Amino acid sequence: MNRAPEPLRCLLLQVRDPGDPMRGHEIASFERAIAPRPARIRVFDLLGGLLRPSDLADVDLVLLGGSGAYSAATGGPWFPTALESLRTVHASGVPAFASCWGFQAMAAAMGGEVVNDRGRAEIGTHDLVLTPAARADPVFGGLGSSFKAQMGHEDRVETLPPHATLLASSALVANQAYRFDDAPVYCTQFHPELDASGILARLSAYPRYLAEVAGTTYEEVVARLEETPEANELLRRFVDTFVAGG
């Protein structure tokens, strides 16, 4: 008789205020993106203190997602401690997948440069193109030469950190995904954990974001939304490749 797989022990590093309506939504989104492998997701609040190596004991997978009200370009009093926490993740050898704010913050933590650039903000469904390195990558290699993904950002990574390999670009933003060559850490500017309904939930939760950041309307973004099945497979492929028992 085949035994059901043990749940993955996941640690989600969040940067969200207590009243952020997307705190629970983010957990559910990552659970769905990892399925059918069951996941037990525990949250560590990066706004509240330093992640220590002992916090990663018995963790199979570290996840980083977006942020409701915080920027990796402008930071804040808590930001240096958060960056030190991300360096701890990188050094630990525990597989980690970071999207959106996590993508930017991990770049900043490891020596890259993050800037605020509303002129290149991307919201909703956008096209991405793989780099030559990505076509031979075990996680990205099955996507074909191009794919669609969900986005919502105004900051971008201007310069990748050392020991990082670029995996994907969009028409507006060159650095859309990278992997570290010295650690099992992958980072995407886009949200592989979100499908069309997921990005709609985020936009509904932050109604002023569209007009303030991208100069567009909810209706305009909705009209351009598409499902993104290739991007939504990335976390499963990452788990299969890097997480024990995947």
Side-chain angles (χ1 to χ4, degrees):
M1 177 180 291
N2 293 329
R3 296 180 57 188
E6 292 292 324
L8 290 178
R9 299 166 298 181
C10 303
L11 186 65
L12 173 59
L13 309 183
Q14 278 196 324
V15 185
R16 295 186 181 276
D17 291 328
D20 189 328
M22 291 293 100
R23 283 166 63 98
H25 182 270
E26 186 167 60
I27 295 171
S29 297
F30 277 116
E31 287 176 342
R32 184 177 58 253
I34 293 169
R37 182 70 184 266
R40 184 181 303 118
I41 298 180
R42 177 167 55 93
V43 172
F44 184 94
D45 179 15
L46 286 177
L47 297 173
L50 179 68
L51 180 81
R52 303 184 184 278
S54 59
D55 294 313
L56 297 173
D58 300 322
V59 171
D60 299 315
L61 173 63
V62 176
L63 299 166
L64 295 88
S67 66
Y70 297 97
S71 166
T74 57
W78 55 274
F79 195 53
T81 300
L83 296 185
E84 183 61 31
S85 296
L86 299 192
R87 287 189 282 270
T88 295
V89 171
H90 180 278
S92 71
V94 177
F97 199 107
S99 66
C100 199
W101 182 91
F103 162 92
Q104 300 156 4
M106 185 64 79
M110 299 307 300
E113 180 186 3
V114 182
V115 298
N116 180 260
D117 187 353
R118 289 188 171 183
R120 299 193 200 181
E122 296 168 302
I123 299 175
T125 308
H126 288 265
D127 293 302
L128 296 106
V129 177
L130 294 187
T131 65
R135 293 169 193 163
D137 182 79
V139 177
F140 277 73
L143 296 181
S145 60
S146 64
F147 63 101
K148 297 180 184 295
Q150 312 298 348
M151 299 191 200
H153 73 91
E154 61 178 287
D155 296 340
R156 62 179 177 85
V157 173
E158 171 74 14
T159 306
L160 291 179
H163 311 295
T165 294
L166 181 65
L167 298 172
S169 304
S170 70
L172 281 179
V173 177
N175 296 322
Q176 285 282 355
Y178 62 89
R179 69 172 187 238
F180 284 98
D181 301 325
D182 55 355
V185 179
Y186 278 59
C187 306
T188 64
Q189 176 61 82
F190 56 92
H191 285 280
E193 77 277 16
L194 296 182
D195 55 14
S197 65
I199 196 70
L200 277 177
R202 296 288 171 90
L203 298 178
S204 298
Y206 312 126
R208 294 191 301 170
Y209 188 80
L210 289 168
E212 291 181 0
V213 172
T216 187
T217 67
Y218 181 86
E219 290 74 19
E220 289 171 336
V221 172
V222 169
R224 297 192 299 266
L225 280 184
E226 299 181 50
E227 292 295 347
T228 53
E230 294 88 359
N232 296 146
E233 284 292 324
L234 283 173
L235 271 159
R236 299 183 188 102
R237 293 173 66 89
F238 180 81
V239 168
D240 289 344
T241 303
F242 290 102
V243 179

